[in-house]
Amino acid sequence: MPMTGTSVWINMVMGGAITNNVSNYFYLSGVCGFIDELDGKCYWVDDLEPVITAEGEHLRVDEGAPTEAEDISDWKLGSMRSRSVTEGEVDDMRGYIINKYIKPSELKFENNIPEPTPSHPNHVIVDVYSAGLNYFDFLQLQGKYQTQPPFPWVPGCEFGGKIAKNSPIPKGCPLKAGDSVFGAAQGACGEQLVCDWHVLQKIPAGMTFDQAASLTVTWPTSYEALVGRANVQPGEWVLVHAAAGGVGLLAVQIAKVLGAKVIGTAGSADKLEVAKKYGGADYTVDYSKDGWQKEVMKITGGHGVDVVYDPVGMVQKSLKVIAWDGRIVVIGFAAGAIEKIPMNLVLLKNISLVGLHWGAYYKHEPEHPAKVWSELLALYADGKIKPIIYTEVYKHDALAKGLKDLVERKTWGKAVMRVRDSDEGKVSAKL
């Protein structure tokens, strides 16, 4: 894959005369080149020359460039580039490109979108095999999420894949081409993405790419919420809202590992069964029914719950069941509204409201994620937790359907999209 370097405009000066006939560009090994359509000759511009910032700036050009050419007329430094190889293998990738905010129903699957280009010494290229779908993907498409990438961008964050054969390997990076990895970075709904190698983990032996794509957001979120923020103790009562969802199912599993008694909530009988069958919840309650709080108080013998895990936005309703000195962990607002809490109840019950923004740990406590992942993968290796994905794995061209099903709460566990098929089935045991 071409590397980053000088940004080139369509009109360039050669020998003092502006030429508009230069349309075939290539960029290879730190050198930007182009083919003049009139004389058919290949020219190159050394990367050490000044960056081109406007039409008409003089360039030094020499004959003798490689013969392979690419159309990169829309390419800019360190970003996505649009190209078509004139000879040899055509390796434009498939996926989705977002140029303006849209509704998920307006998503258009493309067979020829820009490939990402490494722009930092720590970057590697990942061939994406599977992508996890999240509620924030739905929000981000519409410009409603708290962090929005600059246009154009490829949607998706969580992924399972392999280090690409053409990936640079940064200094100090323990990974190599072909290694199976999972992580989170913008662009998971395309066939390739670029990310800092520090955000990657090797996929454990026996785990599929689909399963691996379900981990990066859900696992550390639930673990840190219950271990780091709520400090769940053996014997405590833990109420997990949306217990059949991606983060909810793992929260149930983690709470059980910690020795807690778990009540899982969901909005249907089928999902309540999922919380028991796959998560291991001790009790379940339908929170779509009036009076569900009375049922929780009955289950706990009037004690109430010591910890509430809330990815939905049910803090105020949960104040009726929180025990003295309890903790409510705010994970998200899947219900759509950000609550206004009567703080007098927080005071009277002597409770703690704590938030969790897992992604911010990489900025504020960069050493902490490695510790959490070490503990999580040890639990997985011991068979104490497992990834749970929805039975329908969505096809690459069905992102709109996947997000629609997710938002309409038709899915359970983690919704996953298959970006490309793997001949391996599962990761080699040697990993």
Side-chain angles (χ1 to χ4, degrees):
M1 174 181 287
M3 304 298 290
T4 58
T6 305
S7 180
V8 180
W9 291 66
I10 287 294
N11 297 330
M12 296 192 293
V13 173
M14 296 197 315
I18 295 179
T19 171
N20 293 314
N21 50 285
V22 180
S23 61
N24 291 314
Y25 300 87
F26 58 85
Y27 199 81
L28 187 65
S29 301
V31 175
C32 179
F34 57 89
I35 294 178
D36 189 309
E37 293 177 346
L38 295 183
D39 63 17
K41 291 182 179 179
C42 241
Y43 298 89
W44 62 272
V45 181
D46 193 288
D47 197 22
L48 298 178
E49 292 295 305
V51 172
I52 307 307
T53 58
E55 294 180 350
E57 185 169 343
H58 286 266
L59 299 177
R60 176 178 62 79
V61 296
D62 297 295
E63 296 185 25
T67 57
E68 186 179 32
E70 298 178 315
D71 180 359
I72 58 167
S73 57
D74 293 330
W75 180 75
K76 294 182 180 179
L77 177 63
S79 63
M80 313 295 279
R81 60 183 178 20
S82 175
R83 63 188 180 82
S84 59
V85 180
T86 57
E87 293 182 6
E89 182 181 1
V90 177
D91 58 354
D92 295 305
M93 72 176 188
R94 298 180 300 168
Y96 303 83
I97 189 76
I98 307 302
N99 294 296
K100 63 179 182 179
Y101 295 130
I102 60 173
K103 297 177 181 178
S105 60
E106 298 174 301
L107 279 165
K108 182 181 178 182
F109 182 73
E110 304 279 358
N111 287 309
N112 183 0
I113 69 169
E115 286 185 343
T117 307
S119 58
H120 188 279
N122 285 336
H123 278 174
V124 293
I125 303 168
V126 177
D127 289 332
V128 179
Y129 281 76
S130 301
L133 305 184
N134 293 281
Y135 185 73
F136 62 74
D137 295 325
F138 168 80
L139 296 175
Q140 200 174 59
L141 288 173
Q142 302 169 83
K144 297 179 179 180
Y145 194 53
Q146 55 258 41
T147 56
Q148 294 290 147
F151 295 116
W153 48 276
V154 176
C157 174
E158 286 182 289
F159 60 88
K162 294 181 181 180
I163 301 296
K165 292 180 180 179
N166 59 344
S167 174
I169 303 298
K171 183 178 180 180
C173 176
L175 303 169
K176 63 182 184 300
D179 279 353
S180 296
V181 294
F182 66 93
Q186 191 69 47
C189 293
E191 289 181 317
Q192 276 194 338
L193 59 77
V194 164
C195 66
D196 189 314
W197 68 266
H198 293 93
V199 305
L200 299 175
Q201 304 285 335
K202 279 194 174 184
I203 299 179
M207 186 182 289
T208 67
F209 289 113
D210 291 344
Q211 291 173 325
S214 74
L215 306 183
T216 307
V217 171
T218 56
W219 278 29
T221 295
S222 296
Y223 184 90
E224 185 63 23
L226 297 177
V227 176
R229 302 297 283 155
N231 191 27
V232 172
Q233 298 297 308
E236 287 192 313
W237 285 99
V238 175
L239 178 68
V240 177
H241 286 308
V247 292
L249 275 173
L250 200 278
V252 173
Q253 293 183 67
I254 292 293
K256 292 298 295 179
V257 170
L258 295 172
K261 295 170 287 188
V262 182
I263 304 171
T265 71
S268 70
D270 289 344
K271 288 191 174 182
L272 294 176
E273 179 60 27
V274 167
K276 277 192 172 183
K277 180 178 179 181
Y278 295 104
D282 299 295
Y283 304 91
T284 57
V285 173
D286 188 338
Y287 62 12
S288 68
K289 295 181 179 180
D290 292 336
W292 63 266
Q293 293 98 330
K294 293 180 181 179
E295 190 173 350
V296 170
M297 294 304 293
K298 181 179 179 181
I299 291 171
T300 62
H303 172 78
V305 295
D306 302 289
V307 173
V308 175
Y309 177 96
D310 182 20
V312 180
M314 297 185 65
V315 172
Q316 186 166 347
K317 293 180 179 178
S318 299
L319 290 174
K320 293 182 179 181
V321 299
I322 193 73
W324 169 262
D325 208 26
R327 292 88 76 198
I328 299 178
V329 188
V330 180
I331 306 298
F333 314 97
I338 297 178
E339 296 178 275
K340 295 180 179 180
I341 307 302
M343 297 304 291
N344 61 313
L345 295 180
V346 175
L347 181 151
L348 292 172
K349 288 199 169 187
N350 201 50
I351 66 172
S352 301
L353 291 178
V354 295
L356 175 70
H357 184 185
W358 171 250
Y361 278 88
Y362 286 92
K363 177 182 179 181
H364 298 289
E365 298 181 45
E367 73 289 344
H368 190 62
K371 177 177 180 291
V372 170
W373 276 113
S374 176
E375 293 169 354
L376 280 167
L377 294 177
L379 289 174
Y380 172 78
D382 291 341
K384 294 180 179 179
I385 59 174
K386 56 185 177 182
I388 308 296
I389 61 173
Y390 184 50
T391 48
E392 179 181 356
V393 175
Y394 296 93
K395 295 181 179 179
H396 196 191
D397 60 359
L399 176 59
K401 182 179 186 299
L403 291 178
K404 182 175 183 291
D405 289 351
L406 179 67
V407 171
E408 293 179 354
R409 302 185 182 184
K410 294 180 180 179
T411 66
W412 49 263
K414 187 72 176 186
V416 172
M417 180 177 70
R418 183 81 51 80
V419 175
R420 66 175 91 196
D421 289 321
S422 169
D423 294 332
E424 297 178 349
K426 292 187 177 180
V427 179
S428 169
K430 67 182 180 181
L431 293 178

